Amino acid sequence: MKQPIGSYPHVLVRDDGRAVVSQAGSVLLVETVRKIGLDQAISAALTPWRKPRAVHDPGKMLVDLALAVALGGDCLADVAMLRAEPGVFGPVASDPTVSRLIGTLAASGEKALTAIRVARSEVCKRVWELAGERAPDAGRQVTVDLDGVLVVAHSDKQDAAPTWKKTYGHHPLMGFVDHGPGGTGEPVAAHLRPGNAGSNTAADHITVTRLALAQLPKKYRQGRRTLIRCDSAGGTHEFVAWLAQRGRWLSYSVGMVITEAIHQHVLKIPASAWTPAVESDGEIRDGSWVAELTGDLLDSWPQGIRLIVRKERPHPGAQLRITDADGMRITCFATNTLNQPIAQLELRHQLRARAEDRIRAARATGLRNLPLHDTAQNQLWLEIVQIALDLLAWMPVLALTGQPRLWEPRRLRLRLFSAAGQLVTNGRRRFLRLARHWPWTREITDALARLAPLPNPG
């Protein structure tokens, strides 16, 4: 009797397998693309860039790149993963053809970017309509979070520069729609900037907000149905004045830097004016209080602004800052929302931290590095990354329920997209047989069953 060697079974490997599909679970993304009409919308938008007698459609190539990024790719050459499975992804262009397309679109500048963004906006509207009560606008208000991302460059690239964290690369500013506690989020804007771009540059915040608003359905651009949230980087007079401009009808919740004037006002707040802060479940947050600042402190800010400050006991080992008071950590934000308790407004602002989850997902989906050299090409790469993130957000909204809807990209790839399958042709129809023993096969089949009855795009 032979004794086993090591902890794992010894398997003999052969290369003569037939009709075996790797990444078979990615059929979820393919079916989502088909149901929401993303491929048709991008193809129609990029019609001016399709050459006569071209074999491959530019829109199909761009969606192929987005699918490759959604599955874990981080460069143009990773589209080869799709090319190896024509039974699932159809014909996929060669690497030189894809590279030429990126060069052509990048040379067109804003014209190509605008075409892609308009197509994404149309598809976003359709997805939200299909999602119904699960859409991010189900509460009759859309929340857009703005935040910066540091992308390290490991080689010399155009506009790469030293960053405030002593690294070298780029500093994009992005906007994400928050899907709330029952979902994740989707990108609506990405503005590529040099690594030395300021965190609190008002012009960049205005640019990204404009891009984000253009992606939303038109009905959310009025009536204060859109909430703009950001950290203290957006707490500048110019940006807040732009948000509060007459006729813009935006709600905002913007973090503020603790200045000396704010610090002195906090010291004068009587103990009776402090209100206990609350948790997301409605319970009182231990060791945390909020209060509203008034008086001449608001004279230089737009009319209707409310300045709310929070003090809390620092976590064990946390080092206090010079702007903290009486051993308490002090933070502050501004909002124009009236007739709501300040504790609820403070909780709403604290939920802005969900943007950090969106940034982590973006880093895991093509934003770990910018693979191209020219700034115009890397801005186009950011659009591809956004399409990939769109798919990773829209598919769970339409097809997943419960805890799987909250899974981030890495977990989706590990549990759903990496499932193996066998492609079988029977009666002129193709069937994809997923591995029965895979623990999450039922999640995949149930999700496909939810996508099936959705109406096909017109």
Side-chain angles (χ1 to χ4, degrees), residues 78-359:
D78 286 336
V79 77
M81 179 169 51
L82 275 62
R83 192 183 305 118
E85 301 293 352
V88 176
F89 301 104
V92 177
S94 65
D95 290 353
T97 302
V98 171
S99 182
R100 284 194 297 269
L101 172 67
I102 296 301
T104 301
L105 295 178
S108 300
E110 286 297 321
K111 184 178 180 181
L113 293 175
T114 301
I116 296 171
R117 290 165 183 166
V118 169
R120 286 179 55 219
S121 177
E122 294 173 354
V123 176
C124 174
K125 180 181 179 181
R126 173 175 170 80
V127 171
W128 289 10
E129 291 174 351
L130 292 175
E133 295 181 354
R134 293 181 294 173
D137 61 341
R140 300 185 61 82
Q141 187 179 58
V142 175
T143 301
V144 177
D145 292 316
L146 309 183
D147 211 342
V149 187
L150 290 181
V151 181
V152 177
H154 298 284
S155 61
D156 190 25
K157 292 180 171 62
Q158 186 178 10
D159 285 341
T163 71
W164 61 275
K165 278 196 173 181
K166 310 301 181 183
T167 58
Y168 180 79
H170 296 82
H171 189 188
L173 186 62
M174 301 188 69
F176 300 90
V177 168
D178 186 16
H179 285 194
T184 54
E186 62 188 82
V188 285
H191 178 45
L192 185 59
R193 306 186 300 168
N196 56 2
S199 297
N200 59 348
T201 305
D204 292 339
H205 281 77
I206 293 174
T207 298
V208 173
T209 305
R210 288 186 184 276
L211 291 175
L213 293 175
Q215 290 299 115
L216 301 179
K218 290 184 178 180
K219 63 181 179 180
Y220 296 106
R221 304 174 199 174
Q222 58 186 357
R224 291 194 176 178
R225 299 185 65 183
T226 300
L227 170 68
I228 305 297
R229 284 191 309 203
C230 61
D231 57 14
S232 58
T236 60
H237 283 78
E238 184 179 351
F239 182 53
V240 174
W242 184 88
L243 291 172
Q245 186 174 338
R246 183 180 179 88
R248 186 148 283 129
W249 291 104
L250 293 173
S251 296
Y252 60 81
S253 184
V254 179
M256 304 293 288
V257 176
I258 304 295
T259 63
E260 179 61 24
I262 294 177
H263 186 256
Q264 292 301 321
H265 275 71
V266 170
L267 295 178
K268 298 176 183 178
I269 298 176
S272 59
W274 291 98
T275 301
V278 297
E279 300 278 9
S280 56
D281 57 2
E283 297 294 328
I284 292 178
R285 181 180 177 88
D286 185 40
S288 183
W289 299 267
V290 294
E292 184 170 359
L293 300 179
T294 58
D296 59 353
L297 188 65
L298 306 180
D299 291 345
S300 61
W301 294 93
Q303 187 176 2
I305 192 173
R306 302 177 69 184
L307 203 59
I308 299 173
V309 64
R310 180 181 75 164
K311 68 175 183 179
E312 64 177 341
R313 297 192 187 98
H315 298 293
Q319 185 176 2
L320 292 174
R321 297 168 295 190
I322 193 172
T323 54
D324 294 332
D326 297 330
M328 296 285 187
R329 174 62 50 85
I330 303 297
T331 56
C332 185
F333 72 97
T335 182
N336 63 342
T337 303
L338 306 176
N339 304 321
Q340 284 194 27
I342 58 176
Q344 293 297 328
L345 294 176
E346 193 274 335
L347 173 63
R348 184 185 70 175
H349 185 74
Q350 290 299 319
L351 293 177
R352 192 209 65 81
R354 288 170 53 84
E356 300 296 334
D357 298 333
R358 308 288 76 78
I359 289 176

Side-chain angles (χ1 to χ4, degrees), residues 358-392:
R358 308 288 76 78
I359 289 176
R360 183 172 62 250
R363 291 184 185 278
T365 311
L367 204 57
R368 185 179 60 84
N369 70 299
L370 298 175
L372 306 169
H373 178 271
D374 296 345
T375 297
Q377 293 178 337
N378 281 324
Q379 179 63 63
L380 189 62
W381 177 260
L382 275 184
E383 296 299 320
I384 295 171
V385 168
Q386 289 182 86
I387 297 174
L389 290 170
D390 283 339
L391 290 174
L392 293 174

